[in-house]
């Protein structure tokens, strides 16, 4: 199959005939033909039946079309999303506890996927441009499945989950327990943290598997369908890929309700409310390993090009940015060997339209990944919801909004048959609307509820930013166990111990704490004082009722943000030389990670940490997570980052419109016609 590139512009009648011969006789598909002399010439596209060598069952030919490929592509994208963006994210906190890893190390685990993607993206997209793209996706499925398997292995080699000590008492104790100090010294002797390297290896393999999917897999869709339909197919594929994280979060959340070793030892007295409870995080990875490897079968049977590709390619009109790169690539036949890699890369980096679109998409990716990571935390703290409910709300806003935006934009670009310049102008309008909707953070925010020792003193007896007061000074409370309770005075306390509660009634599911020395006298409706010093688990009900308004505005902001995703991909495929489309997507994804998805969560995390008013200090006096945030400062910080990135996006999209020069009419003829003209002149 030497020289049989997908974007080969030589589509003369003999080539088309040979394509049909290749289809009827798959054994001869690798023979090739003598290429006509002249720039850009080469053998015809190798179309063929769906099957394996001489085995081509008739039933398989029903899938030998763009729709069949799109179905297989979507399934692989869904499972990739389930593992990488769903199961990994929701399992991180459990893995931290089980293998005694701190957040910086689990951050390294998360970043390993992007590291592998960045390193390999350029090379895979360059080498796979002229290769057998469906087989590259079969390789992608193999590596994704293997990565899932490797990621689950620590569970099987680390033995049964063991934990020491008894559950910490959360009420006011007069005698100090030594359990906390024992925990501090015991954690330094464990070797479980060595499994960090296994998790990193699993993530690296997942990164290797994900690389061909969104470069070669997307370019193959663009190769196989008419130009005006490309945006619709790509939009559907991208939208389907967003189902993966949603399924992953739901599946992973349910699996965490199962005990980590399936069967709980009879001597174990631990429930899901106990901080030591760990769920069966590994089951999802093992299930995805088997499911993903099944997808190797359909991708291995697709031909190098789907039937009809030669005709579709011949009728496409080039919209490459007119900077001479198309002629340079064709004249020097750049991309035939790996020694052309530096020149091919420089051609793309010097394309101002491509680079403007890449910077714009990277800026959008920074915001998208930042909110995907921290939107549940924002909802939890702003509107006083539980972590699980906030995560559910975040998923219900982000996933459907992003999918709807991608499908709508794909349909609009397809139905309106927009040109490359029209697509870029369309992106300006969607980004502008998203910027306006971003102002929701200005008015749909909530102030902080009263919190003893943070925003409120203990009835005037304590000081701000000090959890200890005379009413709980003898309780020996631990700051390492955050278990908020709401007092009968409608003030929130760090824990029952800090509220001075001496006893409780009820079980773990429904407790009521009594004899709380720090809780003030509450006012009844008739004006009399309530002398009951009680508290119930959980945060005090928020008085802010703006959550529906926030979710509505933010949902449409997500829709309009993701309405630019599919058009960006289509515009990138249009503005570069035909033989460099996969490579251009590879370049985009490298910048997308370096400038967007990697720094995005870091930048958002720093901004959120800056709004912290109460940090966790564990038994070893090490600062950990933040317990309480300044809600207004958090809202303004996130809006500032989001608005700045939106403005950067709009600026660079406007620059792309300004720089773009469509090819002259003689160059914009259908490819078959233009090749005949160039052959006459040569």
């Amino acid at each position: 199959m030497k020289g049989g590139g997908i974007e080969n512009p030589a589509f003369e009648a003999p080539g088309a005939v040979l394509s049909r011969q290749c289809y009827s006789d798959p054994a001869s598909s690798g023979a090739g033909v003598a290429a006509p002399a002249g720039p850009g010439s080469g053998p015809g596209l190798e179309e063929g039946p769906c099957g394996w060598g001489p085995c081509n069952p008739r039933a398989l030919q029903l899938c030998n079309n763009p729709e069949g490929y799109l179905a297989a592509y979507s399934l692989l994208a869904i499972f990739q999303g389930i593992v990488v963006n769903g199961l990994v994210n929701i399992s991180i906190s459990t893995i931290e506890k089980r293998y005694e890893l701190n957040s910086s190390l689990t951050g390294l685990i998360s970043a390993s996927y992007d590291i592998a993607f960045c390193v390999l993206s350029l090379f895979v997209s360059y080498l796979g441009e002229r290769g057998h793209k469906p087989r590259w996706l079969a390789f992608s499925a193999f590596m994704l499945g293997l990565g899932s398997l490797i990621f689950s292995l620590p569970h099987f080699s680390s033995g049964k989950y063991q934990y020491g000590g008894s559950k910490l008492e959360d009420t006011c104790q007069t005698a100090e327990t030594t359990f906390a100090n024992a925990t501090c010294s015991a954690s330094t002797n464990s070797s479980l943290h060595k499994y960090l390297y296994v998790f990193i290896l699993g993530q690296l393999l997942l990164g290797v598997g994900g690389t061909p999917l969104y470069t070669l897999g997307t370019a193959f869709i663009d190769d196989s369908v008419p130009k005006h339909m490309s945006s619709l197919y790509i939009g559907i594929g991208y939208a389907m890929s967003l189902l993966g994280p949603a399924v992953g979060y739901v599946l992973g959340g349910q699996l965490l309700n199962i005990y980590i070793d399936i069967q709980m030892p009879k001597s174990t007295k631990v429930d899901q409310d106990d901080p030591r409870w760990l769920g069966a995080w590994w089951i999802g990875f093992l299930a995805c390993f088997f499911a993903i490897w099944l997808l190797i079968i359909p991708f291995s049977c697709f031909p190098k090009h789907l039937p009809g590709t030669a005709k579709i390619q011949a009728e496409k009109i080039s919209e490459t940015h007119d900077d001479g790169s198309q002629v340079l690539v064709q004249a020097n036949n750049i991309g035939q060997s790996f020694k052309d890699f530096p020149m091919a890369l420089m051609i793309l980096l010097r394309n101002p339209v491509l680079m403007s679109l890449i910077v714009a998409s990277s800026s959008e990716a920074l915001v998208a990944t930042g909110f995907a990571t921290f939107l549940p935390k924002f909802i939890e703290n702003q509107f006083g919801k539980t972590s699980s409910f906030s995560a559910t709300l975040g998923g219900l806003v982000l996933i459907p909004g992003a999918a709807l935006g991608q499908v709508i934009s794909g349909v609009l670009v397809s139905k309106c048959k927009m040109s490359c310049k029209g697509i870029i102008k369309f992106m300006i309008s969607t980004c502008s609307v998203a910027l306006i909707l971003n102002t929701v953070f200005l008015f749909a925010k909530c102030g902080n509820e009263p919190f003893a020792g943070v925003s409120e003193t203990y009835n005037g007896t304590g000081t701000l930013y000090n959890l200890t007061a005379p009413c709980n000074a003898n309780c020996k409370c631990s700051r390492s166990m955050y278990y908020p309770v709401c007092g009968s005075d409608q003030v929130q306390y760090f824990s029952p111990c800090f509220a001075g509660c001496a006893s409780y009634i009820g079980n773990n599911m429904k407790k009521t704490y009594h004899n709380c020395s720090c809780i003030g006298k509450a006012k009844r409706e008739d004006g009399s004082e309530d002398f009951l010093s009680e508290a119930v688990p959980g945060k005090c009900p928020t008085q802010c009722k703006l959550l529906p308004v926030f979710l509505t505005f933010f949902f449409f902001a997500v829709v309009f943000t993701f309405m630019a995703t599919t058009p960006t991909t289509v515009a990138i495929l249009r503005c570069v030389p035909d033989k460099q489309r996969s490579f251009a997507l590879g370049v985009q994804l490298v910048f997308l990670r370096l400038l967007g998805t990697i720094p995005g969560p870091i930048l958002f995390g720093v901004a959120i940490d800056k709004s912290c008013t109460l940090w966790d200090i564990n038994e070893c006096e090490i600062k950990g997570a933040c317990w309480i945030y300044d809600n207004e400062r958090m809202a303004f910080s996130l809006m500032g980052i989001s608005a700045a990135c939106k403005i950067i996006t709009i600026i660079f999209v406007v620059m792309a419109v300004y720089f773009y020069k469509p090819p002259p009419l003689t160059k914009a003829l259908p490819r078959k016609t233009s090749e005949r003209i160039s052959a006459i002149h040569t």
Side-chain angles (χ1 to χ4, degrees), residues 431-445:
C431 293
S432 299
V433 175
L435 175 60
I436 295 171
L437 291 171
N438 192 65
T439 57
V440 66
F441 289 98
L442 290 176
F443 58 86
K445 64 182 186 302

Side-chain angles (χ1 to χ4, degrees), residues 413-637:
V413 172
S414 176
K415 294 296 182 183
C416 299
K417 298 184 178 180
M418 296 182 189
S419 64
C420 184
K421 197 162 194 172
I423 290 173
I424 302 175
K425 289 180 178 178
F426 173 74
M427 291 164 57
I428 296 175
S429 62
T430 61
C431 293
S432 299
V433 175
L435 175 60
I436 295 171
L437 291 171
N438 192 65
T439 57
V440 66
F441 289 98
L442 290 176
F443 58 86
K445 64 182 186 302
C446 302
N448 291 83
E449 298 296 323
F451 196 111
V454 178
S455 60
E456 296 280 332
T457 61
Y458 287 86
N459 298 315
T461 62
T463 58
L464 292 179
Y465 307 111
N466 186 1
L467 295 176
T468 304
C471 62
N472 60 27
N474 296 323
C475 292
K476 309 300 182 184
C477 302
S478 171
R479 279 193 57 174
S480 64
M481 190 181 69
Y482 180 53
Y483 187 61
V485 294
C486 182
S488 54
D489 55 355
Q490 294 304 304
V491 175
Q492 185 175 314
Y493 296 84
F494 187 85
S495 70
C497 182
F498 279 103
C501 301
S503 61
Y504 66 86
I505 297 176
N507 54 31
N508 287 332
M509 299 302 293
K510 190 175 181 180
K511 283 183 178 179
T512 302
Y513 293 90
H514 296 279
N515 302 322
C516 304
S517 58
C518 294
I519 295 179
K521 299 174 182 178
K523 295 287 185 180
R524 290 177 176 171
E525 292 182 1
D526 59 3
S528 61
E529 291 184 339
D530 186 352
F531 289 94
L532 289 176
S533 299
E534 296 180 344
V536 293
K539 299 177 181 179
C540 291
T542 179
Q543 304 302 314
C544 181
K545 307 299 181 184
L546 294 173
L547 180 59
V549 176
F550 172 79
L551 292 178
T552 302
F553 273 78
F554 195 80
F555 174 80
F556 286 105
V558 171
V559 170
F560 279 94
T561 295
F562 278 85
M563 280 180 69
T565 304
T566 301
T568 301
T569 302
V570 175
I572 287 174
L573 292 170
R574 297 286 174 268
C575 74
V576 299
D578 297 330
K579 294 182 180 180
Q580 290 194 297
R581 287 180 294 171
S582 295
F583 194 30
L585 291 179
V587 172
Q588 183 213 13
L589 290 175
V590 168
F591 279 94
L592 205 69
R593 272 153 175 81
L594 292 178
L595 302 179
T597 59
I598 293 177
I602 297 173
L603 183 59
F604 270 67
V606 170
I608 290 175
D609 282 347
K610 290 291 184 182
S611 64
C612 181
T613 57
L614 180 65
W615 288 94
D616 168 37
I617 306 295
N618 68 10
E619 297 87 351
C620 301
E621 298 300 320
I622 298 175
K623 187 169 74 171
C626 179
W627 296 129
I628 307 297
Y629 295 92
D630 183 332
N631 284 350
E632 288 201 0
R633 184 172 180 179
M634 180 193 290
F636 286 132
S637 297

Side-chain angles (χ1 to χ4, degrees), residues 269-284:
K269 295 181 179 179
V270 60
D271 53 37
Q272 294 180 28
D273 291 327
D274 194 308
R276 299 168 300 165
W277 170 275
L278 296 182
W281 61 271
W282 52 273
I283 296 178

Side-chain angles (χ1 to χ4, degrees), residues 40-61:
S41 60
L45 295 183
E46 299 170 15
E47 300 174 5
C50 194
W52 302 273
C55 178
N56 305 305
R58 186 178 297 274
L60 285 181
Q61 309 317 311

Side-chain angles (χ1 to χ4, degrees), residues 1 25-27 29 48-61 63-64 132 134-135 138 293-304:
M1 301 184 199
D25 183 11
S29 61
C50 194
W52 302 273
C55 178
N56 305 305
R58 186 178 297 274
L60 285 181
Q61 309 317 311
C63 302
N64 196 20
H132 197 302
R135 288 181 186 168
W293 269 21
L294 288 176
L295 292 174
I296 297 175
I297 298 172
F299 283 113
S300 64
C301 73
F302 279 111
K304 186 174 183 180

Side-chain angles (χ1 to χ4, degrees), residues 206-288:
L206 290 170
V208 173
T211 304
L213 180 61
Y214 294 108
T215 54
L216 304 178
T218 304
F220 190 80
I221 294 176
D222 189 59
D223 294 336
S224 306
V225 298
K227 187 177 72 173
H228 70 278
M229 294 295 293
S230 177
S231 61
L232 177 60
Y233 278 71
I234 292 175
I236 292 173
Y238 280 4
M240 293 295 289
S241 70
L242 291 169
L243 291 177
V247 175
Y249 269 91
V250 173
L251 175 64
Q254 294 301 312
L255 292 175
L256 291 182
N257 292 327
I258 303 173
Y259 185 67
I260 188 169
D261 294 319
I262 306 299
Q263 289 187 341
M264 189 181 301
K266 294 181 179 179
S267 60
T268 301
K269 295 181 179 179
V270 60
D271 53 37
Q272 294 180 28
D273 291 327
D274 194 308
R276 299 168 300 165
W277 170 275
L278 296 182
W281 61 271
W282 52 273
I283 296 178
F285 292 96
L286 203 59
C288 287

